[in-house]
Amino acid sequence: MKTLRTRLTWLYTVTTGAILLLVMAIFFLFSLRDIQKTRLEQFQVVWNSLSSQFISSNALSQGFLAQTEADYRLVIHIRENGIPFLYRGSWQTDTDRQILIAKALALAEAQGVFMDKAPVSSTVSVTSLMTVEGDHKDRYYAMVLSMDTKSGVKSLCAVSLIPPVRESLRETLLLLCLLAVSGVACLWLISWKFVGWSLKPVEESQKKQAQFIASASHELRSPLAVLRAAAAALSHEPQTDISAHSGAPTHPDPQTHTDSRCEGQEKDALLSLIDSECARMSRLVDDMLFLASADARSWSLRLETVDMDTLLIEVYESCQPLCHEKSVSLRLELPSRPLPRIAADPQRIRQLLLILLDNARTYTPAGRSISIRARAASSGNIITLEVADQGCGIPDHIKPCIFDRFYQADRSRSDKQHFGLGLSIAKELVRLHGGTIRAADEPGGGTCFSVTLPASLRL
């Protein structure tokens, strides 16, 4: 079970972890796209602001240009009538600034925008968004503007760094990695707990099965040992004296006649013992087959309408002689009104009551009494049957175990008529009828087994 639990835990962790990583990868791709979109929108906003001021103002201060470059990672190049504005820039790019400006101007000229020539068809000529590749795998957005003025031509070129993916998502990647590791660890712990919780009924069932097999083996070993001993005794019977078959005259020996009679009695006793042990094994096998069929849900009831008053009287009359043999009085208490008829299997209800009465008779000392009681709910939908004894009672810590298979008190282990399956069978019979059974203390000492049966069980 431990190996199975470990394997299932890893299976759940790997499969769920793979789904988690897939979701994180999709989130990463969407984050990358959003970052690229944000960078592009930011550059366009900065370009629109910068170009608007460039068009409307006659001069831009170096302080303004330095602040704009530093804030937005821009490279700004301005010319007026072919003369560049003397400005060194506020930050150092991976690729030389002049090379980036030259590449951007080349792309602008391919679109028909020249920094040193006035626009032909309009006052202002602007390129579309361009991408400039640096010499060190660095990339930039770029746009160029050329404007015709009264004093000549002035132009603007702006190049904006596109941060590498790993730099843009460095913090995001670190966060995702931490989340992935933490998530897998949490998944493993949760899977371990969940698998353990899921396998607990299986483990308990396995333990009960092992206990069942061990108890059944113990119960079967005793009668088999008796049978083998009896068979061995029969196989070693003394043979008849050969002198009886010779021609010599014989005289009857009283001692021989007595020995033969004793041997015959011993033989009859051994055969009787074999028969009783075979009957005991047959009862045990029948009980085990019944429980196995109930577990497999392959056993069904033969339902019919049952007159409970008549059935209880019949059970009372059949058990009264057995109780009388043990000097135990048996009482039947029925309500003044007839009990409602219910849909049930009469043979199995009779078997249920006989099991409870046999259990009560076993634990009730001589001179005490056993009561069979019955009552119906006011609605008539439920019938309650009770079998109460005046025995030693059942301690509270034992009550949860009394319906377990092969469970017996230590002092009753020597009783060959009981295997510890009776109450287990009673519980299954009640369950098959859709009812409940419980054991409670009887006032004044003893135990009361209470069975509730629904009257509306479908036929």
Side-chain angles (χ1 to χ4, degrees), residues 110-424:
Q111 295 185 19
V113 178
F114 301 89
M115 291 198 74
D116 300 331
K117 295 181 181 180
V120 178
S121 59
S122 61
T123 306
V124 180
S125 179
V126 184
T127 63
S128 60
L129 180 67
M130 302 178 296
T131 303
V132 176
E133 300 289 340
D135 296 337
H136 304 283
K137 296 183 179 180
D138 46 338
R139 301 173 68 247
Y140 304 83
Y141 291 127
M143 291 189 72
V144 176
L145 178 148
S146 177
M147 177 181 177
D148 186 13
T149 63
K150 295 179 180 179
S151 58
V153 178
K154 65 178 184 178
S155 53
L156 170 67
C157 175
V159 179
S160 176
L161 175 66
I162 304 175
V165 174
R166 62 182 181 181
E167 181 179 341
S168 302
L169 295 178
R170 182 176 301 171
E171 295 182 357
T172 304
L173 280 174
L174 180 60
L175 179 61
L176 289 178
C177 290
L178 291 175
L179 288 175
V181 173
S182 302
V184 171
C186 291
L187 282 173
W188 195 91
L189 293 175
I190 294 173
S191 299
W192 179 262
K193 294 292 185 181
F194 178 77
V195 171
W197 175 75
S198 301
L199 291 179
K200 189 175 181 180
V202 179
E203 188 174 4
E204 292 178 353
S205 176
Q206 189 180 39
K207 289 181 180 179
K208 288 183 178 180
Q209 183 179 7
Q211 293 173 356
F212 182 86
I213 294 174
S215 300
S217 301
H218 171 78
E219 295 294 344
L220 288 170
R221 189 183 295 115
S222 297
L224 286 174
V226 174
L227 291 174
R228 292 185 64 185
L234 288 175
S235 64
H236 289 85
E237 284 188 359
Q239 302 296 324
T240 306
D241 189 357
I242 58 175
S243 63
H245 300 283
S246 64
T250 60
H251 300 281
D253 187 354
Q255 182 65 32
T256 302
H257 179 71
T258 303
D259 293 342
S260 299
R261 186 172 59 183
C262 292
E263 290 174 2
Q265 292 176 350
E266 291 179 0
K267 182 177 180 180
D268 292 340
L270 289 173
L271 291 174
S272 176
L273 178 62
I274 290 175
D275 181 69
S276 64
E277 291 298 324
C278 289
R280 179 171 178 255
M281 289 183 64
S282 177
R283 291 195 304 272
L284 175 59
V285 171
D286 288 341
D287 291 345
M288 292 172 63
L289 287 175
F290 173 82
L291 292 173
S293 300
D295 290 340
R297 301 295 191 267
S298 61
W299 199 84
S300 59
L301 299 173
R302 297 180 180 179
L303 300 180
E304 58 183 79
T305 302
V306 179
D307 185 345
M308 290 302 300
D309 291 292
T310 302
L311 188 145
L312 289 171
I313 293 173
E314 292 175 353
V315 171
Y316 167 76
E317 292 176 347
S318 64
C319 290
Q320 194 172 25
L322 296 175
C323 293
H324 181 71
E325 289 180 1
K326 198 179 177 182
S327 300
V328 174
S329 62
L330 180 63
R331 296 182 299 178
L332 175 62
E333 301 175 10
L334 295 176
S336 56
R337 293 184 179 182
L339 293 170
R341 295 174 178 266
I342 66 171
D345 187 330
Q347 297 301 323
R348 296 305 172 184
I349 297 296
R350 184 177 288 106
Q351 180 183 4
L352 166 65
L353 293 171
L354 291 176
I355 289 173
L356 297 179
L357 286 169
D358 183 62
N359 184 78
R361 188 171 58 89
T362 300
Y363 293 101
T364 301
R368 301 293 183 88
S369 64
I370 299 173
S371 300
I372 305 174
R373 300 191 289 260
R375 64 178 183 274
S378 57
S379 60
N381 294 328
I382 296 177
I383 288 182
T384 301
L385 306 176
E386 294 180 349
V387 175
D389 61 59
Q390 294 180 345
C392 58
I394 302 175
D396 292 337
H397 69 280
I398 294 179
K399 288 177 183 176
C401 306
I402 60 176
F403 295 104
D404 293 344
R405 298 172 187 182
F406 287 108
Y407 180 83
Q408 292 176 315
D410 292 338
R411 64 185 181 86
S412 66
R413 279 289 183 184
S414 60
D415 186 359
K416 292 186 177 182
Q417 302 302 320
H418 297 87
F419 308 104
L421 295 178
L423 293 179
S424 300

Side-chain angles (χ1 to χ4, degrees), residues 68-122:
T68 303
E69 280 197 357
D71 291 342
Y72 302 105
R73 310 291 282 177
L74 291 174
V75 174
I76 301 174
H77 179 69
I78 298 175
R79 290 185 186 180
E80 187 170 359
N81 295 324
I83 301 173
F85 183 67
L86 297 177
Y87 173 65
R88 294 182 179 180
S90 61
W91 65 289
Q92 184 65 40
T93 58
D94 292 339
T95 303
D96 186 75
R97 295 169 64 95
Q98 299 303 320
I99 295 176
L100 294 175
I101 293 171
K103 289 183 177 183
L105 294 180
L107 294 174
E109 291 177 0
Q111 295 185 19
V113 178
F114 301 89
M115 291 198 74
D116 300 331
K117 295 181 181 180
V120 178
S121 59
S122 61

